[in-house]
Amino acid sequence: MAGFPVFLLSDFGTHDTYAAQMRSAILSFAGYDTPLADLTHHVPRGSVLEGAFHLRACLPFLPPGSVTLAVVDPGVGTERRGLAALWRERLVVCPDNGLISFLPPPVPLFQLPPPEPSSSSTFHGRDWFAPCAARLSVDPGWIDSMKPLEDPVLLRFPESLSGEGSISAAVIHVDSFGNAILSIESTREIPSGDMTIRWRGGSRPLVRVDCYQEAQPDEAAILRGSQGFWEIAFRGGSAGEILGLKAGEQIEMILEG
Amino acid sequence: MAGFPVFLLSDFGTHDTYAAQMRSAILSFAGYDTPLADLTHHVPRGSVLEGAFHLRACLPFLPPGSVTLAVVDPGVGTERRGLAALWRERLVVCPDNGLISFLPPPVPLFQLPPPEPSSSSTFHGRDWFAPCAARLSVDPGWIDSMKPLEDPVLLRFPESLSGEGSISAAVIHVDSFGNAILSIESTREIPSGDMTIRWRGGSRPLVRVDCYQEAQPDEAAILRGSQGFWEIAFRGGSAGEILGLKAGEQIEMILEG
Amino acid sequence: MAGFPVFLLSDFGTHDTYAAQMRSAILSFAGYDTPLADLTHHVPRGSVLEGAFHLRACLPFLPPGSVTLAVVDPGVGTERRGLAALWRERLVVCPDNGLISFLPPPVPLFQLPPPEPSSSSTFHGRDWFAPCAARLSVDPGWIDSMKPLEDPVLLRFPESLSGEGSISAAVIHVDSFGNAILSIESTREIPSGDMTIRWRGGSRPLVRVDCYQEAQPDEAAILRGSQGFWEIAFRGGSAGEILGLKAGEQIEMILEG
């Protein structure tokens, strides 16, 4: 019987066969009919921050019961632990290095059993995390046998602060369309009046729109994105390039009048 | 029961998880055992023309009953319609912006029901088109309930004209091997004598061959490609780079003698 | 009934739909429930050497019974033969151009029946090799009807020679982390004392470690990699860039004392 779907997220790229070797390890353990899908293998190399963003952005759109194997693991081969996380009926398997930092609580965490002595010390994704994810996809109850993990490594989420007439935030990702995604959840409101955006590179007017096409071609616009956050965009252009914004950068939005 | 296979074509790239979110939406709707495969997510950003080429090139090689979800959608969030097309027993779901322009008739077209009010206004691929494609993969008869779409947006296919001793055509795609694919269907004949190619960048001799290895290393060659069109190629080199050809460019072939 | 899993390796890239057309050919022949997975489609264009490396590196991690379709085929359309190889219960289908060179013997080889006359002369991957791989995934016994292939085209594997106090080897791949993989199988021992690496670009100390994090940030390190070979790495850096190493390059390691 097929297990639950397994999704893969990593910084391995696709020029080597590393991601494929993780896939094969899952198929071998959980059965050839296990549904597998790549989220992306192009997380910037070693960037736990961007890995945490992607995990937070897409997990709500994955089916309940699914298992996501997230491997951005610059500490591979050192003593860092492995964990399983349970978030809204979805499971995540990853190193304990902050990848689960941005998941809104509650997020019960569990400690994976250590890797087999026979596993490679340089490729825990294939030899340790993938078999754990595979087992959880066919035997979700396995998690009940794991010890709780109480003190996870956590990243500090770039803060989004509302002051008097201004909103501070951080860019947490620039997507491949050039949209600069902000650390402001789209469930929050942003006033609809005129604004000015200020950042390291200068300042300029910012309009609030509901879809990309509402902005004028040269106009910096802010809108609710599809990934759970507000984002800064240019119609038919790249906000990342035009404004020179990068992940991690602070911005401030000044509300007029 | 598994639905028919669903194929995905987009300009989302694979550095974000957008394509994966469409996949997940399909799996959630149609069942985890739905066969899914990516055609490419690297259509040049916003290029409906190149999206239309890829759709035309690979559709004949996809199985009857399959559903292809094609999302190159620079107008996302505006009033443009969504459509379902039926071509030789294959279904296509896409925005009504010209993506189906190059499919040889007959191509009955149907209008998709509008997106759910809850769907994101910036990601119709995931929230509108993917669920429609998923439904058609398990319930192809759903199309009978849709209104015909009589006035689709159509691109004008670059013309291929045969004059007195010359053939005019356009480059419609330069593939990643550097082969410049022409707007001349491979079912047409091209005389086998000596030719000269003339284009914006100059002119040079052109030989007709049956496979890449028949050409000499520095020789511009024309042959029947594998994608349904004639193409210009260099043995072991890139016609796109050597001749400076790009999609959309006009060429002329002069037949000698 | 589903066939055995089929894995795909090629130099087609993912910007066109060539890899997808091979996938579709397999699904159409072997059934929609055939498990398919990409190894990589980013073998450097036309590099049989790197294709042979990838095949050797990942085959041990693919499940017994699986079929790997490997298409790096600069000679497409010429008279070169097609072959099926059997290695430790895994099957490989590929052109007879050296792709199976690095598989440790025994590797019984069989000659594929010639392509159908209707097949494209420029895309044997889709029209010849894919259907053969598909058939073997559902009917492995088909191989018994093929003629043995006794005289395969073979690459000469870059030699790894141990001299008096030194080890010569070649870089056979630089992976996307920048690790320079050497032509020394990881089952061999390398003395643990101090070493000096000498190559075209100069010489510098080399330390032997068990995982990347054991090296100092600016230190060239050698360790057993996860792909069956020893490799040269920098902690958090790219050995390929820092040392200027490329696939095919010779190096020498001098053992001190």
Side-chain angles (χ1 to χ4, degrees):
Chain A
M1 202 196 96
F4 285 99
V6 180
F7 293 88
L8 292 86
L9 178 74
S10 83
D11 64 347
F12 295 158
T14 52
H15 279 69
D16 289 290
T17 67
Y18 300 133
Q21 292 178 29
M22 292 202 305
R23 277 183 164 250
S24 182
I26 293 167
L27 288 178
S28 296
F29 188 103
Y32 298 156
D33 50 355
T34 305
L36 287 180
D38 295 318
L39 294 173
T40 179
H41 295 291
H42 297 284
V43 175
R45 191 59 44 90
S47 172
V48 175
L49 177 75
E50 305 248 344
F53 162 74
H54 281 300
L55 195 59
R56 165 70 182 84
C58 65
L59 216 52
F61 302 102
L62 306 187
S66 64
V67 181
T68 295
L69 171 61
V71 185
V72 179
D73 192 17
V76 64
T78 62
E79 290 298 311
R80 59 94 192 77
R81 298 169 298 186
L83 65 79
L86 180 61
W87 187 77
R88 300 190 193 169
E89 300 178 63
R90 287 113 175 133
L91 286 164
V92 176
V93 169
C94 62
D96 173 30
N97 62 8
L99 282 168
I100 46 79
S101 299
F102 301 163
L103 299 179
V107 190
L109 301 173
F110 305 88
Q111 194 169 335
L112 296 179
E116 300 287 328
S118 66
S119 84
S120 152
S121 62
T122 58
F123 198 176
H124 280 163
R126 178 191 69 201
D127 296 338
W128 183 23
F129 298 120
C132 288
R135 178 157 175 191
L136 284 170
S137 85
V138 290
D139 174 18
W142 183 45
I143 207 168
D144 297 325
S145 72
M146 296 179 196
K147 283 194 298 187
L149 190 152
E150 309 282 6
D151 55 343
V153 174
L154 289 177
L155 302 175
R156 190 159 158 269
F157 192 64
E159 283 183 54
S160 149
L161 299 169
S162 298
E164 285 278 330
S166 79
I167 303 174
S168 291
V171 176
I172 54 175
H173 179 62
V174 178
D175 77 7
S176 52
F177 288 83
N179 302 316
I181 296 165
L182 301 179
S183 59
I184 306 174
E185 302 243 351
S186 56
T187 49
R188 285 182 51 188
E189 282 302 322
I190 285 187
S192 60
D194 290 338
M195 283 185 277
T196 298
I197 176 176
R198 278 212 303 237
W199 77 109
R200 191 181 41 82
S203 73
R204 61 186 287 170
L206 185 68
V207 297
R208 209 194 112 181
V209 298
D210 286 324
C211 77
Y212 302 123
Q213 299 305 316
E214 280 181 22
Q216 299 304 313
D218 287 329
E219 204 168 45
I222 182 167
L223 76 168
R224 280 189 166 92
S226 63
Q227 304 298 297
F229 299 93
W230 288 85
E231 60 191 49
I232 293 174
F234 276 81
R235 171 180 169 182
S238 163
E241 283 181 20
I242 296 168
L243 304 183
L245 291 172
K246 286 196 168 56
E249 194 141 8
Q250 289 290 324
I251 65 147
E252 189 175 16
M253 291 175 288
I254 318 293
L255 310 169
E256 308 292 335
Chain B
M1 201 198 96
F4 285 100
V6 180
F7 293 89
L8 292 86
L9 177 75
S10 84
D11 65 348
F12 294 157
T14 52
H15 279 69
D16 290 289
T17 66
Y18 300 133
Q21 291 178 30
M22 292 202 305
R23 277 182 164 251
S24 183
I26 293 166
L27 288 178
S28 295
F29 189 103
Y32 298 157
D33 50 354
T34 305
L36 287 180
D38 295 319
L39 294 172
T40 180
H41 295 289
H42 297 285
V43 174
R45 191 58 44 89
S47 173
V48 174
L49 177 74
E50 305 248 342
F53 162 74
H54 281 300
L55 194 61
R56 165 70 183 83
C58 65
L59 216 53
F61 302 101
L62 305 188
S66 64
V67 181
T68 296
L69 171 61
V71 185
V72 179
D73 192 17
V76 62
T78 62
E79 289 299 309
R80 58 94 191 77
R81 300 169 295 187
L83 65 79
L86 180 61
W87 187 76
R88 299 189 195 168
E89 300 179 63
R90 288 115 175 131
L91 286 164
V92 176
V93 169
C94 62
D96 173 31
N97 61 8
L99 283 167
I100 47 79
S101 300
F102 301 163
L103 299 180
V107 190
L109 300 175
F110 304 88
Q111 193 168 335
L112 296 179
E116 299 287 327
S118 66
S119 83
S120 152
S121 61
T122 58
F123 198 177
H124 280 162
R126 179 191 69 201
D127 297 337
W128 182 24
F129 299 120
C132 288
R135 177 157 177 191
L136 285 170
S137 86
V138 290
D139 174 19
W142 183 46
I143 207 168
D144 297 325
S145 72
M146 296 179 196
K147 282 194 299 187
L149 191 153
E150 310 281 7
D151 55 343
V153 174
L154 289 176
L155 302 175
R156 191 158 156 271
F157 192 62
E159 282 182 54
S160 150
L161 299 169
S162 297
E164 284 279 330
S166 79
I167 303 174
S168 291
V171 176
I172 53 173
H173 180 62
V174 177
D175 76 7
S176 51
F177 288 84
N179 302 316
I181 296 166
L182 301 179
S183 59
I184 306 173
E185 303 243 350
S186 57
T187 49
R188 286 181 48 188
E189 283 303 323
I190 286 187
S192 59
D194 290 338
M195 283 184 278
T196 298
I197 175 175
R198 277 211 304 235
W199 78 109
R200 190 181 42 83
S203 72
R204 60 187 287 169
L206 184 70
V207 297
R208 208 193 114 181
V209 298
D210 286 323
C211 77
Y212 302 123
Q213 299 305 316
E214 280 181 22
Q216 299 304 312
D218 287 328
E219 205 167 46
I222 183 167
L223 76 169
R224 281 190 165 91
S226 64
Q227 305 298 298
F229 298 93
W230 288 85
E231 60 191 48
I232 294 174
F234 276 80
R235 172 180 169 183
S238 162
E241 283 180 22
I242 296 168
L243 304 183
L245 291 172
K246 286 195 168 58
E249 194 141 9
Q250 289 290 324
I251 66 149
E252 188 176 16
M253 291 174 289
I254 318 294
L255 310 168
E256 309 291 334
Chain C
M1 202 196 95
F4 285 99
V6 180
F7 293 89
L8 292 86
L9 178 74
S10 84
D11 64 348
F12 294 158
T14 52
H15 279 70
D16 289 289
T17 66
Y18 300 132
Q21 291 177 30
M22 292 201 305
R23 279 183 162 247
S24 182
I26 294 166
L27 287 179
S28 296
F29 189 103
Y32 299 156
D33 50 355
T34 305
L36 287 180
D38 295 319
L39 294 172
T40 179
H41 295 290
H42 297 284
V43 174
R45 191 58 44 90
S47 173
V48 175
L49 176 75
E50 306 248 343
F53 162 74
H54 281 299
L55 195 60
R56 165 69 183 84
C58 64
L59 216 52
F61 302 102
L62 305 187
S66 64
V67 181
T68 295
L69 170 62
V71 185
V72 179
D73 192 17
V76 62
T78 62
E79 289 300 309
R80 58 95 190 77
R81 300 169 298 187
L83 65 79
L86 180 62
W87 187 76
R88 299 190 193 168
E89 301 178 63
R90 288 114 175 131
L91 287 163
V92 176
V93 169
C94 62
D96 173 30
N97 61 9
L99 283 168
I100 47 78
S101 300
F102 301 163
L103 300 179
V107 190
L109 300 175
F110 305 88
Q111 193 168 336
L112 296 180
E116 300 288 328
S118 66
S119 84
S120 151
S121 61
T122 57
F123 197 177
H124 280 163
R126 178 191 70 201
D127 297 337
W128 183 24
F129 299 120
C132 288
R135 176 155 178 192
L136 285 170
S137 84
V138 290
D139 174 19
W142 183 46
I143 207 168
D144 297 325
S145 72
M146 297 179 196
K147 282 194 300 186
L149 189 152
E150 309 281 6
D151 55 343
V153 174
L154 289 177
L155 302 176
R156 190 159 157 270
F157 191 62
E159 281 182 54
S160 149
L161 300 168
S162 297
E164 285 278 330
S166 79
I167 303 174
S168 292
V171 176
I172 54 173
H173 180 61
V174 178
D175 77 6
S176 51
F177 288 83
N179 301 316
I181 296 165
L182 301 179
S183 60
I184 307 173
E185 303 242 349
S186 56
T187 49
R188 285 181 51 188
E189 282 303 322
I190 286 186
S192 60
D194 290 337
M195 284 185 276
T196 298
I197 176 174
R198 279 212 302 237
W199 78 108
R200 191 181 40 82
S203 73
R204 60 186 288 168
L206 184 69
V207 297
R208 209 194 113 181
V209 298
D210 287 324
C211 76
Y212 302 122
Q213 299 306 315
E214 280 182 22
Q216 299 304 312
D218 287 328
E219 206 168 46
I222 183 166
L223 76 169
R224 280 190 165 92
S226 63
Q227 305 298 298
F229 298 93
W230 287 85
E231 60 190 49
I232 293 174
F234 276 80
R235 172 180 168 184
S238 162
E241 284 180 21
I242 296 168
L243 303 183
L245 291 172
K246 287 194 167 60
E249 195 141 6
Q250 289 290 322
I251 65 148
E252 188 175 17
M253 290 174 289
I254 317 293
L255 310 168
E256 309 291 335

